[in-house]
Amino acid sequence: MLDLEVVPERSLGNEQWEFALGMPLAQAISILQKHCRIIKNVQVLYSEQTPLSHDLILNLTQDGIKLLFDAANQRLKVIEVYDLSKVKLKYCGVHFNSQAIAPTIEQIDQSFGATHPGVYNAAEQLFHLNFRGLSFSFQLDSWNEAPKYEPNFAMGLASLQIPHGAMVKRMHIYTGNNLQDTRAPAMPLACFLGNVYAECVDVLRDGAGPLGLKLRLLTAGCGPGVMTDAKVRSLERSIYFGDSCQDVLGALGSPHKAFYKSEDKMKIHSPSPHKQVPSKCNDYFFNYFTLGVDILFDSTTHLVKKFWDQIQELLGHPMEKPVVLHRSSSANNTNPFGSTFCFGLQRMIFEVMQNNHIASVTLYGAPRTASQARPESSSSAH
């Protein structure tokens, strides 16, 4: 059984790991993978048809915990403990829920101190006791007598004193004073872990199509030798088609990984008569995982050929029929999202899933020669 520390408006965790509000989804998954022998039977819940309209949830079924992530920015928004019998909980190092300590209203009052009177939701038949960044829900049907309360017609709820012996049914950790209005906070400094993240990616373009990318980056900088001066810093970097790998390294730093292409399944669609002639060298690309960008380099010139970036909305109406893409490999021949459709438009390829949401966008352009200067963009979009 997990033994976890509750920090209102911030986190749930222990000495080995911590789920912090504002944490990226990928980082939470990394924690679960690292501790897979302890944290088992994790479900991933999402909406197939409207993925951006519903939270993405990691459900720790064995431990009675749900992690709710904002669907758009994929940062942790709410931590819910929905089965307190499966986990030990403590606050400021002192347990308020364990096999020996029942999470009653008296125990909550003793551990967390005074707060406003409980709020009754008639539709759910639950009483909610709210602190800043933390709330406890108590089940009504376990009580022998009906609660006495004065209606609050403005809110549609009612304030009251929660009867003695009431047991906590659910607990939520969130940002702010209201669970219903909470939003995923900015990523905390502790989650940067030396990485750089992209706050915004703009497409630099002219009348013919894309020229490159302008990235607004976030990093956890710090003052001279003093960790208390640490703060999030913002900077901008631009990369263009025709940039060398040294240019990209200078702008964005070292990639998380570098990959070499062993095959090109789209080669058959090339109009070149030499498309079936095998290349002596393999193209390669830099994977900047925390930026959501892959950068493809030509194997002979080592210049940028393509960018890969995830976006949320379609930016045009292609005239030709799409190419059907089956994402699979010898190592993983199953794909839960099925086949996708690739539409070409203005030197851009949009990969569209079956629910009409975009999975990826590929930008491509002719590399410039060494004698050509960097192009000047007339507009940008993101």
Side-chain angles (χ1 to χ4, degrees), residues 22-26 56 69-77 184 310:
M23 169 182 284
L25 171 65
L56 196 158
F69 294 82
D70 184 275
N73 58 43
Q74 295 191 351
R75 294 199 303 268
L76 183 56
K77 183 172 72 173
Q310 293 190 0

Side-chain angles (χ1 to χ4, degrees), residues 26-39 42:
Q27 199 166 117
I29 293 176
S30 178
I31 291 175
L32 296 175
Q33 290 175 329
K34 185 176 181 180
H35 300 278
C36 62
R37 294 186 177 181
I38 300 174
I39 306 176
V42 178

Side-chain angles (χ1 to χ4, degrees), residues 222-241:
C222 58
V226 183
M227 284 304 295
T228 55
D229 291 339
K231 61 180 181 180
V232 176
R233 300 176 184 266
S234 177
L235 59 150
E236 287 189 355
R237 294 290 186 268
S238 297
I239 51 177
Y240 295 86
F241 292 112

Side-chain angles (χ1 to χ4, degrees), residues 27-61:
Q27 199 166 117
I29 293 176
S30 178
I31 291 175
L32 296 175
Q33 290 175 329
K34 185 176 181 180
H35 300 278
C36 62
R37 294 186 177 181
I38 300 174
I39 306 176
K40 303 177 181 179
N41 302 326
V42 178
Q43 297 177 336
V44 181
L45 308 177
Y46 61 94
S47 171
E48 289 188 355
Q49 297 304 316
T50 56
L52 299 179
S53 301
H54 300 82
D55 291 334
L56 196 158
I57 301 174
L58 296 180
N59 183 14
L60 284 60
T61 59

Side-chain angles (χ1 to χ4, degrees), residues 150-159:
E150 296 180 359
N152 183 337
F153 296 104
M155 298 296 294
L157 301 174
S159 296

